Amino acid sequence: MGDIRIQRSCIHHIVEKRQDARERYVKVALDTLIGPFEVWQVAYTNDTYRLAFIGVYETKRQMLVVVTLDNGKMLWNFMQCDAKALNKHRHGKLLYKRYAYVPSKEKGHCNQWPCARA
């Protein structure tokens, strides 16, 4: 997705809600930018677009990182949420997904496992 700027002036916006303590999730946010599960291009009402980077983890909380496209790509916001709440951010144009669905493969059969063939 290219380089993304992180500016000190935007960080205040991210951590201003003290009860959320979002700074605890900085490493998860960076991991989401580096290796996202999905990236969506989302249209906003002011005729601009933002990128929604979705990070999926084997934990209760997931990660959403929002990047604005004004004057290049710049980190705008990030937040942690549960998987169900993350679904409402999956809209717009899907630009990237880590895995593709392969409809030709059967699922749920033990003969797909390597040890079943031995």
Side-chain angles (χ1 to χ4, degrees):
M1 302 267 73
D3 293 337
I4 297 171
R5 288 182 293 140
I6 300 174
Q7 290 184 303
R8 186 177 295 267
S9 59
C10 292
I11 293 174
H12 176 73
H13 166 73
I14 294 170
V15 297
E16 68 185 346
K17 296 178 184 173
R18 292 308 315 138
Q19 70 274 16
D20 292 344
R22 291 185 194 176
E23 61 274 7
R24 297 178 295 166
Y25 299 97
V26 167
K27 289 183 180 180
V28 180
L30 290 174
D31 183 65
T32 297
L33 286 172
I34 293 167
F37 186 74
E38 295 172 349
V39 179
W40 293 83
Q41 181 179 2
V42 181
Y44 279 72
T45 56
N46 62 353
D47 295 326
T48 64
Y49 292 92
R50 293 186 185 162
L51 300 179
F53 286 72
I54 293 178
V56 178
Y57 299 90
E58 293 182 11
T59 63
K60 181 179 177 183
R61 307 298 273 170
Q62 309 305 312
M63 179 58 64
L64 171 70
V65 179
V66 180
V67 171
T68 182
L69 298 176
D70 297 335
N71 301 319
K73 296 178 195 154
M74 183 176 63
L75 175 68
W76 181 252
N77 204 354
F78 66 82
M79 62 203 79
Q80 76 284 356
C81 59
D82 62 28
K84 188 174 181 179
L86 194 60
N87 286 333
K88 70 179 178 181
H89 298 284
R90 287 183 161 118
H91 62 92
K93 181 180 178 184
L94 181 63
L95 299 178
Y96 170 83
K97 61 182 177 177
R98 188 181 300 165
Y99 300 109
Y101 174 68
V102 183
S104 63
K105 290 200 172 219
E106 290 187 44
K107 296 188 182 227
H109 298 287
C110 61
N111 60 1
Q112 292 178 327
W113 291 88
C115 61
R117 294 188 181 115

